[in-house]
Amino acid sequence: MSDQNYRNLDESDSADHGSKQDISDGSIEPIIEGEPFTSYFDEKIAIPEDEVHSWFSFRKLWAFTGPGFLMSIAYLDPGNIESDLQSGSVADFKLLWVLLAATVIGLLLQRLAARLGVVTGLHLAEVCNRQYPKFPRIVLWLMVELAIIGSDMQEVIGSAIAINLLSVGLIPLWGGVLITIADTFVFLFLDKYGLRKLEAFFGLLITIMAVTFGYEYVRVRPDQGKLLKGMFFPYCDGCGTPQLEQAVGIVGAVIMPHNMYLHSALVKSREVNRSNKKEVREANKYFFIESTIALFISFLINVFVVAVFAEAFYGKTNAEVHEQCFNQTSGGQSNLFPNNTDPLKVDIYKGGVVLGCYFGPAALYIWAVGILAAGQSSTMTGTYSGQFVMEGFLNLKWSRFARVILTRSIAITPTLLVAIFQDVEHLTGMNDFLNVLQSLQLPFALIPVLTFTSLRPVMNEFANGLGWKIAGGILILIVCCINMYFVVVYVSSLGHVGFYVGAAFLSIAYLCFVAYLTWQCLVALGMKFLECGQTYNLGLTTYPELFLLNNMEKEDLPTPR
């Protein structure tokens, strides 16, 4: 595989990039000597030749299978599962079409991230490091780290609750939080046994989720007619503000910012000769097929959860559940539900309890096993995301164990304090805040990935066409607007003037930075009239594309060793 070289355009007047090498005289020098695009893992998977089946080969698809399934785990984390069960209990089957639409949008956006990694040999964080000036790079890194930490906290919460349920309360929530520290280190040893075994283990965890939540689905036996109607007919008859907020929450839970960075890096684990356009085109095709299969499976698992709670608990009141749990468990769990006529509100902890009350202890324990699998798999992929982001933005080479200690320490500290000094309601209530936190970070992944995949100097003939530019821009605008609404609703519910004032100041800085990224994205999409050459104080040059990849057909240049 030939090295890709980078060059600098018109940087001589940019103060921010003064320290970078000036090679605007036309000479081309590689940024990194040798093979700069080494995989995060210690090995790369070779792609077999298949002369018999030139258009499609199951052997090749199997070789490319892995990154998409690891990516799909973010669609099955405890935050998603909680959003699913709340969707079913609040809106019946009526929001399944929102889940389907969000998954399709997620697939299209993941396609962009995977193509960026395949075509350039760089993942999104590395491209951001080369494209953006220093200050935006640091801000982007901080925002993505916040998203990763927020996701990690949700996964810790989910795992701790699952351990508590499986131990029949013998292991307290804070004990479950501490256990998640040790088990993550144990699982990280798996990648010492090879990449394919690691991917197989993640496949096992997805299978466990499919079997456990599938069991709940078969046990409850949802109405298939209502399920199909809710999935394919975009309506929500009789819905009000709670259902609207839940629909917004579904989109926010499904599309995760750090997942774009993760997927663009995972595709580098396959041996693809990027100087060969046929191989690049083939890799893009098979990665998209694999991602489609993986997200279809994750969608089915999410549907299982929505359908179970829609069929069994939609329209239920606290009093009904209180009575059922009192009779079933001799009052042991009934105190979780007030004896009033308010609509039932559930989370991943109460969801397991309610399943146990109505369908027996087996349903509760199987539910807990599924939640534990979701939490553990998401924790490990979050660790990999953090490693990619840190290496890409800061060019820091930390071991996975050091990275786990940093991220997990930050994530566990507030979670452990809440688990020790508060109850499970406060612990699960943290998910609302964490969903808002991750919603705020979405533009910092979606805008850069659309920007760079639209630049011909970066992507060559694989750059987004006009249709993809328009569709991608519209999708990202819709997703970001939906999530901004979610944030506004959450802040409004806090009901304190101090929060409003603080949110106002933060919003100004936040929107300014989003506007900066949007400006560069619009230039990349073809709106050249927005180019501005007199912005050196902001660290910008005439063009947003500061470092451009050479033409892929260019003959290999000798590389200094």
Side-chain angles (χ1 to χ4, degrees):
M1 180 166 51
S2 61
D3 294 342
Q4 290 285 28
N5 302 299
Y6 293 83
R7 60 190 174 88
N8 183 320
L9 289 184
D10 194 21
E11 282 191 287
S12 57
D13 294 321
S14 174
D16 186 70
H17 293 84
S19 61
K20 294 184 182 289
Q21 186 181 10
D22 182 8
I23 50 177
S24 56
D25 60 354
S27 63
I28 301 174
E29 295 292 337
I31 285 182
I32 305 174
E33 295 185 358
E35 174 56 62
F37 305 119
T38 56
S39 170
Y40 170 74
F41 305 95
D42 295 332
E43 62 177 301
K44 285 193 176 184
I45 305 302
I47 307 302
E49 295 293 333
D50 193 338
E51 301 294 340
V52 178
H53 306 91
S54 58
W55 184 81
F56 180 83
S57 167
F58 281 103
R59 287 182 64 212
K60 287 189 176 182
L61 178 60
W62 177 249
F64 281 106
T65 297
F69 281 88
L70 268 67
M71 169 273 296
S72 72
I73 286 172
Y75 292 72
L76 295 169
D77 69 354
N80 274 288
I81 301 301
E82 182 163 283
S83 175
D84 292 337
L85 64 90
Q86 290 174 344
S87 170
S89 63
V90 169
D92 201 15
F93 297 93
K94 299 173 186 176
L95 296 180
L96 277 175
W97 64 273
V98 177
L99 176 62
L100 175 61
T103 304
V104 172
I105 291 173
L107 172 63
L108 298 178
L109 295 175
Q110 296 293 163
R111 173 187 179 271
L112 297 181
R115 285 172 68 88
L116 180 69
V118 171
V119 174
T120 67
L122 299 170
H123 58 72
L124 182 55
E126 291 173 321
V127 177
C128 289
N129 181 48
R130 287 158 171 77
Q131 299 282 1
Y132 288 123
K134 183 177 181 180
F135 180 73
R137 283 202 306 268
I138 299 300
V139 175
L140 270 176
W141 170 66
L142 291 174
M143 294 298 101
V144 178
E145 287 288 359
L146 279 177
I148 292 172
I149 291 169
S151 175
D152 201 46
M153 289 178 68
Q154 286 185 312
E155 289 140 16
V156 169
I157 292 170
S159 296
I161 288 174
I163 292 170
N164 179 266
L165 289 173
L166 287 171
S167 66
V168 200
L170 294 178
I171 299 177
L173 290 171
W174 61 265
V177 171
L178 293 176
I179 289 174
T180 61
I181 303 176
D183 60 18
T184 301
F185 284 106
V186 172
F187 287 134
L188 281 176
F189 278 108
L190 285 171
D191 65 4
K192 302 294 182 183
Y193 296 97
L195 178 54
R196 293 302 267 178
K197 290 183 176 63
L198 178 69
E199 291 173 347
F201 179 71
F202 279 105
L204 173 64
L205 292 177
I206 294 174
T207 303
I208 290 173
M209 286 184 267
V211 171
T212 52
F213 297 137
Y215 167 84
E216 308 288 358
Y217 182 85
V218 172
R219 182 74 174 79
V220 174
R221 291 181 293 181
D223 186 318
Q224 301 303 303
K226 292 171 66 176
L227 185 149
L228 293 174
K229 185 177 180 181
M231 187 180 300
F232 296 109
F233 289 87
Y235 81 115
C236 194
D237 185 41
C239 291
T241 302
Q243 288 76 21
L244 176 61
E245 293 177 1
Q246 191 59 51
V248 171
I250 290 173
V251 178
V254 166
I255 302 174
M256 309 278 282
H258 63 279
N259 214 28
M260 300 295 158
Y261 292 87
L262 174 68
H263 198 195
S264 65
L266 292 173
V267 296
K268 292 169 57 179
S269 61
R270 266 51 183 178
E271 194 74 55
V272 177
N273 182 2
R274 293 180 301 99
S275 63
N276 186 323
K277 291 183 179 180
K278 180 182 177 183
E279 286 195 27
V280 173
R281 193 174 293 109
E282 181 181 74
N284 285 333
K285 177 180 72 175
Y286 282 108
F287 276 131
F288 181 67
I289 294 172
E290 185 235 1
S291 297
T292 302
I293 296 170
L295 289 188
F296 175 72
I297 293 173
S298 72
F299 172 71
L300 288 181
I301 295 173
N302 283 312
V303 168
F304 288 162
V305 178
V306 174
V308 165
F309 283 83
E311 181 69 28
F313 307 116
Y314 173 67
K316 288 282 194 301
T317 64
N318 285 325
E320 292 175 291
V321 177
H322 178 90
E323 181 181 359
Q324 176 68 25
C325 288
F326 185 84
N327 295 331
Q328 181 73 20
T329 64
S330 300
Q333 300 286 357
S334 60
N335 59 334
L336 287 173
F337 309 97
N339 194 8
N340 57 39
T341 57
D342 292 341
L344 174 67
K345 291 183 179 180
V346 289
D347 49 46
I348 54 177
Y349 182 80
K350 289 183 179 179
V353 173
V354 170
L355 285 171
C357 293
Y358 277 83
F359 301 101
L364 185 153
Y365 295 128
I366 291 173
W367 168 263
V369 170
I371 295 297
L372 185 61
Q376 291 304 307
S377 57
S378 300
T379 294
M380 288 184 284
T381 55
T383 299
Y384 293 132
S385 299
Q387 186 82 13
F388 295 140
V389 167
M390 180 170 284
E391 290 181 358
F393 278 112
L394 304 182
N395 203 26
L396 291 179
K397 304 294 183 181
W398 279 25
S399 69
R400 283 181 278 285
F401 296 99
R403 174 69 211 188
V404 170
I405 291 173
L406 174 66
T407 305
R408 186 48 59 91
S409 298
I410 298 173
I412 275 185
T413 302
T415 310
L416 187 60
L417 291 175
V418 173
I420 292 173
F421 297 108
Q422 300 290 343
D423 54 18
V424 68
E425 299 243 0
H426 289 84
L427 191 63
T428 55
M430 290 177 67
N431 276 327
D432 293 335
F433 169 74
L434 296 172
N435 283 333
V436 170
L437 179 67
Q438 292 179 83
S439 296
L440 284 170
Q441 314 310 319
L442 266 177
F444 306 128
L446 302 187
I447 295 176
V449 79
L450 179 63
T451 299
F452 302 136
T453 54
S454 298
L455 287 172
R456 280 195 68 84
V458 172
M459 298 289 289
N460 293 278
E461 69 178 52
F462 297 98
N464 296 329
L466 180 61
W468 269 100
K469 289 179 181 179
I470 295 173
I474 292 174
L475 289 178
I476 290 174
L477 179 63
I478 291 173
V479 170
C480 290
C481 288
I482 287 174
N483 281 278
M484 288 304 102
Y485 172 81
F486 184 40
V487 172
V488 170
V489 168
Y490 178 79
V491 174
S492 301
S493 67
L494 297 177
H496 193 283
V497 176
F499 290 120
Y500 298 154
V501 174
F505 280 109
L506 290 175
S507 296
I508 294 173
Y510 175 85
L511 292 174
C512 285
F513 188 61
V514 171
Y516 165 83
L517 295 178
T518 303
W519 165 54
Q520 291 209 355
C521 184
L522 291 174
V523 174
L525 291 176
M527 299 183 183
K528 299 300 183 183
F529 63 90
L530 293 176
E531 289 180 359
C532 178
Q534 303 298 321
T535 54
Y536 305 121
N537 291 333
L538 297 176
L540 303 176
T541 60
T542 305
Y543 302 94
E545 52 268 33
L546 303 180
F547 297 96
L548 308 178
L549 288 168
N550 291 323
N551 192 302
M552 291 177 61
E553 291 180 327
K554 193 176 184 68
E555 294 182 1
D556 293 346
L557 297 174
T559 303
R561 299 291 179 183

